[in-house]
Amino acid sequence: MSRQIDYSSTSQYPADEVYATMVDPDYLRSRLKRIGGPGADLLEHTADTEGARYRLRHGLDAKDLPPAVRGVLPGDITIERTERWTRQESGRYLGDVQVAIPGTPASAAGGMRLHDTADGGSELQVRADVTVQVPLLGGKIEGVVAEQVRKLLTAESAFTQQWLAGGR
């Protein structure tokens, strides 16, 4: 069983500008420093105007985890996230994301879409499935993890808008 996450955010900036920011290594390092948690780092990175691939490491301190998760995933957690983006045409990008939590029965995978909107801005859409392979408790933990992922995506979107506005 898995739990689906649907997330969407809009920006006043066009997709080409948002894409260029989202795949910039300086931006990624700054975002990780601000909201990536303990041990966060940009592990791999390649990007140009046609596509990008990067691997990030996030950290979660055990004390910040909900009790239901701490019982199954004791200790601090390291999350490895790989994103790939491909330019379809000006103003339209498709991507995929793979998330692994080494040493745990949890993972996530999904797709992403970044596209221009009629008002001159853009929209980012993410759809992913969170899977926790734990009998009986897996569904509950998937719900908790899905909510944490939504919070992270919201924080990342806010950081991106601040960065684009020049508030680095």
Side-chain angles (χ1 to χ4, degrees):
M1 195 92 198
S2 65
R3 180 75 51 113
Q4 189 172 66
I5 301 167
D6 286 304
Y7 175 81
S8 178
S9 69
T10 58
S11 173
Q12 69 186 31
Y13 301 96
D16 290 339
E17 191 173 345
V18 173
Y19 166 79
T21 297
M22 287 175 34
V23 303
D24 177 271
D26 292 333
Y27 157 84
L28 289 166
R29 286 185 190 99
S30 292
R31 188 182 81 189
L32 287 165
K33 183 177 180 181
R34 172 101 40 95
I35 58 177
D41 198 7
L42 177 60
L43 303 174
E44 296 175 20
H45 182 274
T46 58
D48 60 28
T49 57
E50 298 303 311
R53 181 186 182 283
Y54 46 89
R55 189 166 59 96
L56 312 169
R57 180 177 55 226
H58 295 264
L60 292 173
D61 193 314
K63 69 178 174 46
D64 296 329
L65 297 172
V69 175
R70 280 196 309 258
V72 178
L73 308 175
D76 296 345
I77 293 177
T78 299
I79 301 166
E80 291 189 7
R81 173 174 155 191
T82 301
E83 292 187 13
R84 284 188 298 245
W85 286 96
T86 303
R87 181 180 184 266
Q88 303 298 296
E89 61 188 15
S90 181
R92 194 164 73 92
Y93 300 83
L94 293 178
D96 64 75
V97 60
Q98 302 287 324
V99 179
I101 306 174
T104 75
S107 64
M112 303 175 292
R113 181 176 167 215
L114 174 64
H115 61 93
D116 285 337
T117 55
D119 63 0
S122 61
E123 181 180 35
L124 172 67
Q125 298 169 310
V126 178
R127 174 172 275 177
D129 291 309
V130 174
T131 304
V132 178
Q133 301 286 338
V134 176
L136 303 175
L137 295 175
K140 181 175 181 159
I141 296 170
E142 287 167 355
V144 171
V145 172
E147 182 57 32
Q148 295 301 312
V149 170
R150 280 188 200 92
K151 287 180 181 178
L152 175 63
L153 292 171
T154 299
E156 288 177 352
S157 292
F159 184 86
T160 302
Q161 295 314 301
Q162 181 183 8
W163 185 276
L164 284 162
R168 301 169 189 195

